[in-house]
Amino acid sequence: MLPLNAAAPAEAVELLLSCCHSRRWAERIAAHRPYPTVDALLAAAEEAGYDLTGADLDEALAAESSALPHPDAPPAARTALRAAHAAYESRFGHAFVISLDGVRPDERLDVVLAGIRSRLGNEPEEERAVAADELRRLARSRLAFALARGLTHTRWNL
């Protein structure tokens, strides 16, 4: 049995909010428990991500924060990343979100910088769609990570 299935409703919602900061998304997934398998839960999370309204997406994006470079990153890289994040947030009004699943740690900074630079050229509505897609990937990844950890903590440190 999945630990999320046994959680109290309020606890399940709180745990799910750690993955995607849309209350409606978290409540929807919690309400459809029990899930027979991890795959079924992850599929439900992804499907719920496609149903985010504009307000749900705004809520989720408002709670995201820009990724910081590794503390060992060279000062020039930290400066470049801060500038890129500032330009993105100025243009689109929310933090840059990107899923880095499958990206090696030593490549993450380059991938984030390249992503920001390429997405800065998007029109606002196009970027909203891209950000929503990345947010779905992030939520799925965070949920899978939490499940792998066994949901043993009352709060997930994701």
Side-chain angles (χ1 to χ4, degrees):
M1 179 161 113
L2 295 176
L4 184 68
N5 288 340
E11 182 183 13
V13 169
E14 181 182 339
L15 295 172
L16 289 162
L17 280 169
S18 298
C19 299
C20 178
H21 304 285
S22 163
R23 180 154 296 279
R24 193 170 73 86
W25 178 88
E27 289 173 349
R28 178 177 173 188
I29 295 166
H32 287 93
R33 295 175 302 153
Y35 293 96
T37 65
V38 168
D39 287 341
L41 173 56
L42 293 175
E46 189 164 342
E47 180 183 328
Y50 281 104
D51 291 339
L52 293 176
T53 65
D56 297 331
L57 183 58
D58 289 342
E59 176 186 30
L61 288 171
E64 293 292 330
S65 59
S66 299
L68 300 173
H70 191 277
D72 295 337
R78 289 195 302 271
T79 300
L81 188 60
R82 275 194 306 274
H85 279 302
Y88 180 92
E89 290 172 20
S90 174
R91 175 147 167 75
F92 298 112
H94 58 80
F96 177 76
V97 291
I98 188 170
S99 174
L100 297 172
D101 277 356
V103 177
R104 291 188 352 223
D106 62 327
E107 296 175 347
R108 289 182 176 173
L109 179 61
D110 290 336
V111 169
V112 170
L113 282 170
I116 292 173
R117 287 181 184 130
S118 72
R119 288 168 53 186
L120 275 170
N122 289 347
E123 291 300 319
E125 284 307 308
E126 178 186 12
E127 181 53 28
R128 256 180 100 68
V130 173
D133 220 24
E134 292 296 330
L135 192 62
R136 275 190 294 280
R137 287 188 191 99
L138 279 170
R140 181 182 170 92
S141 171
R142 290 170 177 165
L143 183 53
F145 178 76
L147 292 169
R149 288 180 47 202
L151 301 178
T152 56
H153 306 288
T154 55
R155 293 185 71 84
W156 298 336
N157 297 315
L158 301 175

